[in-house]
Amino acid sequence: MILYTMMPHDLIFPTDENDYGKQLTVTYDGIPLMVEKTENAEYRVIRVLSSDPNHFLHQKYAPGSKISF
Amino acid sequence: MDQENRFANAENDEEQQPQQPKEEKTSPLLEKIQQLGQTNVPQLSQDSNIHCLTIVGQIEGHLQLPPQNKTTKYEHIIPQIVAIEQNPKIEGLLIILNTVGGDVEAGLAISEMLSSLSKPTVSLVLGGGHSIGVPIAVSCDYSFIAETATMTIHPIRLTGLVIGVPQTFEYLDKMQERVVSFVTRHSKIPEEKFKELMFEKGNLTRDIGTNVIGTDAVKYGLIDEVGGIGQAIRKLNELIDLNKKSDEQSEGLVQ
């Protein structure tokens, strides 16, 4: 389907409200992380939000790894 | 699984008898343990004196973008800059940019925070530092651009509901003036040149403006130097040393 319109994409296909709730920002072990909830009560790391370069070297909190609270 | 458990047990046994100096013998074993992910030894080195902020994706304004967008949120960045300013252990800040631009007010807010930071700052544009990424890149004490990186300079535009009155144009013009004056104050590009690039026709397929590539950005005076991470860190360390020296001197004067 091709839409010939100047309307912005997100106005035509609005995002599901629930999608906004999936991601959250947490501080885990002193490292600010952006996480996404997975099915089995775990959280997957999406992004490390810290400004400290050392925090990016932690294998445990690398994006994609799972953490649980 | 059995093997993994055995390694783990072996390690525990050794921990119980720390008197025996067996460290050299166990090093290959320890290596295996780490590879299998059995031990989680936090190998924290001391705090880094250089912190790094990455400005990636879209610079998010007052409206939260859907989660599939990569965004830089000012509510994350601004408190981090405050913390960096306050923390005496942090001596310098490196900004890495790869952004498509975004909200003008949010971008200018980050730029103003960076330009007023008392610690040395160095920015590095990788990939792209487009539209509102330009003031962020020039807000630092020294700026670098990768040879292949680009920066799009174009006029401000508005999405959403626009009231079709002449005042809307004036409002936009004033907003643009803020960006132009910030960039010209914080870089070596003259205002005429910046505006000329901004209103150039025939360069961008669907927009007015210019796509400035690495060396051209340096030629126009927008960015200080072409370089990469090595040069950026070296420059930052240089600025940190200078900063320390001037601090010592000013302290000496007071006494």
Side-chain angles (χ1 to χ4, degrees):
Chain A
M1 180 174 65
I2 299 170
L3 287 176
Y4 294 97
T5 175
M6 58 171 292
M7 290 254 287
H9 180 269
D10 51 320
L11 272 183
I12 306 164
F13 302 107
T15 321
D16 189 13
E17 279 296 312
N18 296 330
D19 284 357
Y20 285 100
K22 267 191 201 160
Q23 289 184 0
L24 66 157
T25 330
V26 291
T27 308
Y28 194 78
D29 268 3
I31 303 173
L33 302 166
M34 186 186 271
V35 293
E36 186 182 59
K37 203 171 179 175
T38 56
E39 291 87 49
N40 23 0
E42 279 181 322
Y43 289 88
R44 190 187 297 114
V45 178
I46 306 269
R47 209 165 127 189
V48 183
L49 294 167
S50 174
S51 65
D52 190 341
N54 285 332
H55 288 167
F56 289 83
L57 299 175
H58 289 286
Q59 206 74 81
K60 233 168 116 187
Y61 311 116
S65 58
K66 284 176 183 154
I67 52 169
S68 51
F69 308 125
Chain B
M1 275 306 281
D2 285 338
Q3 263 193 328
E4 279 173 23
N5 285 334
R6 233 186 297 139
F7 284 138
N9 290 336
E11 221 256 334
N12 285 340
D13 290 342
E14 268 156 29
E15 271 180 359
Q16 280 158 8
Q17 307 153 346
Q19 305 95 317
Q20 293 169 353
K22 272 187 181 175
E23 276 179 39
E24 275 173 30
K25 272 186 188 173
T26 56
S27 62
L29 186 66
L30 268 173
E31 229 172 68
K32 275 179 194 155
I33 293 165
Q34 280 175 349
Q35 278 166 1
L36 292 164
Q38 284 288 306
T39 48
N40 281 315
V41 190
Q43 291 171 328
L44 265 177
S45 55
Q46 73 271 43
D47 285 343
S48 169
N49 70 332
I50 291 173
H51 270 222
C52 170
L53 282 179
T54 43
I55 315 278
V56 291
Q58 281 206 51
I59 293 159
E60 203 176 85
H62 304 296
L63 200 74
Q64 198 186 348
L65 288 162
Q68 73 264 23
N69 291 282
K70 271 197 187 158
T71 60
T72 299
K73 296 175 204 290
Y74 64 84
E75 67 263 38
H76 288 161
I77 298 288
I78 288 173
Q80 277 178 331
I81 299 174
V82 174
I84 288 162
E85 174 70 38
Q86 283 199 318
N87 190 339
K89 279 179 188 159
I90 303 168
E91 292 170 322
L93 178 63
L94 180 71
I95 308 290
I96 307 268
L97 286 132
N98 192 359
T99 175
V100 292
D103 191 87
V104 173
E105 312 247 290
L108 279 181
I110 296 169
S111 309
E112 289 286 1
M113 288 293 282
L114 290 175
S115 69
S116 55
L117 196 78
S118 70
K119 291 170 184 178
T121 48
V122 168
S123 65
L124 171 61
V125 181
L126 294 167
H130 306 290
S131 74
I132 204 71
V134 176
I136 298 178
V138 302
S139 68
C140 295
D141 296 332
Y142 204 83
S143 50
F144 282 94
I145 187 165
E147 213 179 329
T148 52
T150 67
M151 298 176 99
T152 308
I153 301 164
H154 67 90
I156 280 172
R157 42 176 178 237
L158 212 58
T159 51
L161 186 70
V162 178
I163 306 168
V165 289
Q167 282 81 353
T168 303
F169 175 74
E170 276 169 35
Y171 172 71
L172 263 176
D173 203 41
K174 270 186 194 160
M175 193 187 269
Q176 192 157 282
E177 201 44 50
R178 285 155 69 197
V179 176
V180 173
S181 75
F182 186 91
V183 172
T184 48
R185 263 187 292 129
H186 290 91
S187 70
K188 290 190 274 275
I189 194 167
E191 190 177 333
E192 303 77 54
K193 185 70 199 169
F194 190 65
K195 281 195 166 164
E196 186 195 313
L197 294 171
M198 191 181 243
F199 300 114
E200 195 79 69
K201 277 171 283 182
N203 289 330
L204 304 177
T205 46
R206 291 189 306 169
D207 206 346
I208 289 172
T210 317
N211 200 11
V212 182
I213 302 170
T215 43
D216 288 339
V218 179
K219 198 179 77 194
Y220 296 136
L222 195 62
I223 296 289
D224 293 313
E225 205 178 316
V226 172
I229 184 75
Q231 284 104 316
I233 296 275
R234 199 182 309 137
K235 186 74 196 174
L236 190 53
N237 282 325
E238 222 169 84
L239 291 174
I240 290 169
D241 286 344
L242 273 176
N243 199 34
K244 270 187 198 159
K245 270 181 200 154
S246 68
D247 276 358
E248 279 166 17
Q249 275 176 353
S250 63
E251 272 172 28
L253 282 172
V254 170
Q255 284 168 355

